[in-house]
């Protein structure tokens, strides 16, 4: 069966003055897969992701997300995606229910649709008792899970997660990844950046970025085999920082 | 459109939950009205007067008591010589020094020409001029009494006599002049500070980025910020006006409806400006600096303290784009003169153009990219 491409990137370049943040990136992401974007801080992961989300425009190259050209119609892309940023972005002075309601409304859902979906969601996450609490009263782990749930509340085609688990304890990270799997099982494509190498193993495919370029891209097992390493972590050290070993 | 309703509901929820916001909305108009209106005045009362009386005659004592008897002067010192008097002037303990020469009473008796010396601290030029004119009017009175007491009928000076009738503010009450201006400042405080800071705070905390990655349009974001602060601004204006009316019995000659309509247009201009500024900065400190700077320039050039008509030409030209100048004039015209729509139509027109321009500028400058 031919796999459907949901993100197509060809020769993407993003330049900030003399600095080349993204240097001719070319890759595809298929519908329903969990695609991991790995790289050291400053490797250009977030820059590329922001272009895919329509928050930033490419300097050159062709970027298509959900069939829409990211340079020309970024606002159309925004209707079809969900996004969870590195910085926590729910409203801390609104309750859990009010945050879900707000984002549901922003994506064009009516209260009639929002309320039953919201209650079902709270129930599924066992969050019902937190429903009327203000966000700033919740522990970080719960907030992150909720932020993810809000990002996919409107059933986007793709959800972008920018280092969603930084600063979260291992148990919550585990639960978070269970949520990601569940989301992917409903056909939502998950595009996730991370610098936790163990998380990379959970992805269907990964791209390893180094200095604005994609150094390797394939499934974690294929890459391990290709480079003859036991873990993604070793793999990462091997290809993401080759010049380090030279010096 | 429905999105806007969700955004508005969110804004109102946040405002109601923010205890600082509630305190500011109630506290700012009360403080401004009750403190600024009576405090900001150009009336000069109780100037500190030091008198060096070298004559020590009944005539000189009479002059001194006449001066202290007026509400303008308070005799605070009697330095023995001019050097002491000068040091009082320098230290600010005296605003003016009156030196009565030792031949003063002789002069009055007709032997020499009677003279007085007056030294005035004119660091504040307006105060210096006023002090001088108060003093000369008291001395003129003194002269008149003298003529009468010496049995001569006060000479009727032939010529034109003028008798002023002070219109629109018959008692020359400075509060009546300042209050309409302070109401303008009140709107600026609410509109420029609260609304702008609100948007910049969302930029700082990252919630704006989340909004920017949704299909919300730029105008929806801007309008969702304008409407709540528009309502708060008008509420505060009503509160301020009520306080002014109760505390100072401010006359209101014109139409309240017209007054609120003009203030509403001004408020839109201020909110547009606030949101435009907030697109230019990246954090709250920067915003405060920009907002403070422009607030100061706009207010000082608006004619709140000094008549805009006597400013240099370039300053008057600047006031074409200064919304504060328009409302300053409109408020005084409507509240004190009872001006109707026709008298202020040009100002309303200009203010409306500015309001529209600032809102469009804010929407255009807002980037859904962050």
């Amino acid at each position: 069966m031919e796999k459907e491409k949901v993100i197509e990137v060809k020769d993407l370049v993003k330049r900030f003055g003399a600095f080349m943040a993204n240097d001719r990136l070319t890759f595809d992401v298929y519908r329903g897969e969990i695609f991991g974007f790995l790289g050291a801080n400053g490797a250009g992961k977030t820059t590329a992701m922001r272009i895919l989300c329509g928050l930033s425009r490419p300097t050159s190259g062709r970027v298509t997300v959900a069939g829409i050209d990211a340079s020309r119609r970024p606002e159309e892309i925004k209707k079809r995606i969900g996004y969870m940023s590195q910085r926590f972005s729910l409203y801390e002075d609104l309750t859990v229910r009010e945050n879900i309601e707000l984002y549901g409304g922003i994506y064009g859902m009516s209260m009639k649709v929002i309320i039953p979906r919201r209650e079902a969601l709270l129930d599924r996450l066992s969050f019902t008792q937190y429903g009327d609490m203000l966000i700033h009263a919740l522990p970080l782990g719960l907030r992150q899970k909720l932020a993810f749930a809000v990002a996919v509340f409107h059933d986007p085609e793709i959800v972008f997660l920018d280092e969603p688990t930084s600063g979260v304890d291992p148990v919550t990270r585990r639960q978070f990844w269970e949520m990601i799997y569940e989301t992917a099982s409903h056909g939502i494509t998950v595009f996730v950046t991370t610098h936790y190498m163990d998380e990379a193993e959970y992805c269907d495919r990964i791209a390893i970025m180094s200095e604005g370029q994609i150094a390797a891209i394939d499934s974690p097992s294929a890459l391990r085999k290709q480079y003859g390493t036991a873990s993604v972590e070793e793999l990462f050290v091997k290809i993401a920082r080759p010049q380090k070993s030279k010096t | 459109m429905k999105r806007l309703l969700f955004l508005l509901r969110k804004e109102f929820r946040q405002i109601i939950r923010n205890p600082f916001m509630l305190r500011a909305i109630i506290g700012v108009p009360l403080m401004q009205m009750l403190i600024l209106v009576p405090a900001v005045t150009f009336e000069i009362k109780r100037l500190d007067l030091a008198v060096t009386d070298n004559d020590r005659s009944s005539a000189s004592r009479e002059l001194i008591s006449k001066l202290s008897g007026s509400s303008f002067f308070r005799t605070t010192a009697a330095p023995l010589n001019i050097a002491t008097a000068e040091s009082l002037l320098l230290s600010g303990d005296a605003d003016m020094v009156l030196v009565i020469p030792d031949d003063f009473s002789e002069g009055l008796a007709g032997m020499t020409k009677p003279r007085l010396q007056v030294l005035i601290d004119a660091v504040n030029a307006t105060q210096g001029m006023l002090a001088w004119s108060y003093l000369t009017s008291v001395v003129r009175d003194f002269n008149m009494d003298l003529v009468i007491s010496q049995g001569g009928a006060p000479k009727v000076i032939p010529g034109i006599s003028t008798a002023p009738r002070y219109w629109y503010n018959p008692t020359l009450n400075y509060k009546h002049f300042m209050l309409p201006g302070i109401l303008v400042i009140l709107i600026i405080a609410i509109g420029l500070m609260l609304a702008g800071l609100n948007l910049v705070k969302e930029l700082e905390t990252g919630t704006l980025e989340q909004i920017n990655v949704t299909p919300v349009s730029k105008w929806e974001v801007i309008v969702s910020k304008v409407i709540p602060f528009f309502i708060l601004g008008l509420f505060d204006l009503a509160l301020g006006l009520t306080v002014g009316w109760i505390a100072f019995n401010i006359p209101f000659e014109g139409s309240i409806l017209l007054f609120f309509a003009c203030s509403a247009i001004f408020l839109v201009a201020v909110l547009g400006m606030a949101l435009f500024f907030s697109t230019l900065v990246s954090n709250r400190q920067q915003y405060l600096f920009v907002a403070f700077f422009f607030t100061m320039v706009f207010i000082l050039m608006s004619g709140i303290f000094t008549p805009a008509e006597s400013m240099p030409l370039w300053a008057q030209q600047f006031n074409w784009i200064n919304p504060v100048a328009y409302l300053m004039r409109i408020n005084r015209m409507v509240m004190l003169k009872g001006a109707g729509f026709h008298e202020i139509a040009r100002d309303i027109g200009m203010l409306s153009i500015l309001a529209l321009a600032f809102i469009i500028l804010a929407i255009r400058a807002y980037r859904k990219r962050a």
Side-chain angles (χ1 to χ4, degrees):
Chain A
M1 185 182 105
E2 177 75 7
K3 283 189 284 183
E4 187 196 349
K5 290 174 184 171
V6 72
I7 298 174
E8 291 179 73
V9 177
K10 191 147 183 1
D11 295 324
L12 165 63
V13 171
K14 179 70 182 185
R15 219 191 277 271
F16 297 106
F19 176 64
M20 193 87 123
N22 289 152
D23 185 4
R24 280 167 290 132
L25 303 187
T26 298
F27 63 93
D28 297 320
V29 178
Y30 303 106
R31 188 173 294 282
E33 77 174 340
I34 301 174
F35 187 84
F37 223 45
L38 274 63
N41 291 330
K45 296 173 295 195
T46 300
T47 305
M49 180 182 254
R50 292 172 62 83
I51 291 170
L52 296 178
C53 294
L55 279 172
S56 167
R57 307 284 177 274
T59 309
S60 69
R62 217 186 63 240
V63 177
T64 313
V65 177
I68 299 158
D69 187 329
S71 321
R72 296 214 189 97
R73 294 158 66 210
E75 292 304 306
E76 281 301 306
I77 290 178
K78 289 174 184 175
K79 288 181 189 163
R80 286 151 220 249
I81 60 166
Y83 173 72
M84 176 181 169
S85 82
Q86 212 167 339
R87 297 156 78 189
F88 184 73
S89 50
L90 294 176
Y91 286 95
E92 301 209 349
D93 46 358
L94 295 182
T95 66
V96 172
R97 282 199 170 88
E98 288 164 353
N99 266 291
I100 298 173
E101 175 192 313
L102 170 66
Y103 282 107
I106 282 179
Y107 284 102
M109 302 160 88
S110 70
M111 279 309 272
K112 249 189 223 145
V113 179
I114 292 171
I115 292 171
R117 280 187 67 130
R118 178 181 68 189
E119 297 312 311
L121 172 70
L122 292 179
D123 192 48
R124 202 163 62 243
L125 294 173
S126 337
F127 262 33
T128 312
Q129 75 267 32
Y130 303 119
D132 292 322
M133 274 170 74
L134 296 181
I135 298 294
H136 71 70
L138 294 182
L140 184 68
L142 290 187
R143 291 191 204 184
Q144 296 290 82
K145 280 199 256 178
L146 185 68
F148 177 62
V150 167
V152 294
F153 187 70
H154 59 289
D155 267 336
E157 288 185 44
I158 310 155
V159 61
F160 291 90
L161 310 172
D162 192 4
E163 297 186 4
T165 52
S166 48
V168 166
D169 65 85
V171 176
T172 311
R173 264 172 68 193
R174 185 71 204 216
Q175 293 169 337
F176 198 92
W177 273 91
E178 279 165 15
M179 285 176 72
I180 291 179
Y181 273 114
E182 158 143 12
T183 302
S185 75
H186 290 118
I188 297 178
T189 310
V190 179
F191 186 109
V192 55
T193 70
T194 182
H195 51 231
Y196 292 113
M197 292 307 137
D198 57 328
E199 287 186 348
E201 304 273 3
Y202 303 146
C203 298
D204 295 323
R205 285 196 310 137
I206 55 174
I208 297 179
M209 282 201 69
S210 172
E211 301 188 324
Q213 295 179 316
I214 291 179
I217 178 166
D218 209 330
S219 70
S221 56
L223 285 175
R224 279 200 312 270
K225 215 171 285 163
Q226 188 187 336
Y227 288 89
T229 58
S231 69
V232 175
E233 180 138 19
E234 270 177 56
L235 172 75
F236 183 78
V237 173
K238 201 162 174 177
I239 55 182
R241 306 227 164 133
Q243 60 277 80
K244 265 246 161 104
S245 51
K246 271 184 229 157
T247 49
Chain B
M1 201 60 208
K2 251 167 62 183
R3 274 194 215 122
L4 183 60
L5 293 178
F6 278 96
L7 287 173
L8 283 174
R9 191 186 301 171
K10 165 221 157 216
E11 293 297 335
F12 281 113
R13 277 174 173 156
Q14 288 181 305
I15 288 170
I16 288 165
R17 279 194 196 134
N18 185 344
F20 168 77
M21 201 72 113
L22 293 180
R23 279 198 289 266
I25 290 161
I26 303 296
V28 169
L30 285 179
M31 303 257 286
Q32 287 208 341
M33 285 298 120
L34 296 178
I35 295 174
L36 286 189
V37 173
V40 179
T41 171
F42 277 170
E43 281 178 274
I44 291 170
K45 281 180 181 161
R46 290 180 297 281
L47 287 162
D48 290 335
L49 175 71
V51 182
T52 303
D53 184 0
N54 293 327
D55 191 41
R56 296 171 196 282
S57 62
S58 63
S60 68
R61 275 194 298 277
E62 202 178 316
L63 176 64
I64 294 167
S65 80
K66 202 157 180 73
L67 284 168
S68 348
S70 82
S71 65
F72 302 124
F73 299 107
R74 189 167 57 178
T75 315
T76 49
L80 287 175
N81 53 47
I82 218 160
T84 327
E86 273 175 19
S87 72
L88 286 173
L89 212 53
L90 186 64
S91 67
D93 290 323
D95 295 313
M96 61 194 305
V97 173
L98 175 69
V99 183
I100 302 176
D102 53 13
D103 61 350
F104 182 64
S105 49
E106 287 168 29
L108 290 179
M111 282 180 256
T112 55
K113 197 171 164 50
R115 286 184 303 182
L116 294 170
Q117 184 186 21
V118 182
L119 306 172
I120 301 172
D121 176 355
V123 168
N124 180 337
T126 315
Q127 176 179 311
M129 298 282 282
L130 276 171
W132 167 244
S133 76
Y134 289 156
L135 188 101
T136 43
S137 76
V138 174
V139 172
R140 200 182 308 122
D141 260 18
F142 179 77
N143 269 335
M144 201 66 92
D145 291 352
L146 208 69
V147 172
I148 294 167
S149 71
Q150 289 175 351
K155 268 184 249 161
V156 179
I157 303 157
I160 304 163
S161 75
T162 51
R165 298 277 181 278
Y166 296 108
W167 276 29
Y168 311 124
N169 187 357
T171 53
L172 296 182
N173 186 332
Y174 213 83
K175 291 189 198 82
H176 293 185
F177 177 66
M178 286 314 297
L179 188 129
I182 303 290
L183 284 175
V184 179
I185 296 183
L186 174 64
I187 300 178
I188 298 174
I190 298 297
L192 205 61
M193 291 302 167
L194 294 186
L197 283 176
N198 180 288
L199 189 62
V200 181
K201 184 190 164 201
E202 286 218 30
L203 180 70
E204 268 185 42
T205 54
T207 48
L208 202 59
E209 185 182 77
Q210 191 71 42
I211 293 290
N212 283 344
V213 81
T214 71
V216 164
S217 68
K218 297 201 290 188
W219 74 266
E220 284 169 322
V221 176
I222 295 297
V223 172
S224 78
K225 295 290 179 191
V226 167
I227 289 177
F229 290 97
F230 180 77
I231 294 171
L232 289 184
L234 288 188
F235 169 79
D236 262 12
L237 184 64
L239 183 61
L241 193 61
T242 312
V243 171
W245 182 63
I246 293 172
F248 308 112
N249 193 23
I250 285 301
F252 204 109
E253 297 293 335
S255 146
I256 297 225
L257 201 66
L258 183 63
F259 169 83
F260 268 90
C262 295
S263 298
I265 299 170
F266 174 72
L267 188 51
V268 172
V270 170
L271 290 170
M273 205 191 305
L275 298 174
F276 172 62
F277 288 161
S278 63
T279 62
L280 305 178
V281 300
S282 48
N283 59 49
R284 278 173 276 187
Q285 284 94 322
Q286 288 176 6
Y287 181 80
L288 277 178
F289 179 79
V290 173
F292 174 75
F293 177 78
F294 279 98
T295 302
M296 210 165 59
V297 171
F298 281 144
I299 289 178
L300 287 180
M301 296 195 71
S302 71
I304 182 171
F305 301 119
T306 48
E309 291 77 13
S310 41
M311 289 178 187
L313 189 64
W314 57 264
Q316 296 187 37
Q317 281 163 345
F318 170 83
N319 276 340
W320 280 86
I321 57 153
N322 181 359
V324 185
Y326 292 106
L327 194 69
M328 201 62 75
R329 198 156 50 226
I330 289 173
N331 272 7
R332 284 175 177 155
M333 297 266 286
V334 173
M335 288 181 72
L336 303 182
K337 291 186 169 180
F341 179 79
H342 281 294
E343 286 85 1
I344 54 173
R346 199 190 68 98
D347 287 331
I348 294 178
M350 285 305 296
L351 199 52
S352 307
I353 292 171
L354 281 179
L356 196 65
F358 278 123
I359 289 289
I360 291 173
L361 206 56
I363 293 174
R364 289 189 62 102
Y366 183 78
R367 288 270 165 269
K368 273 194 79 185
R369 300 184 200 180

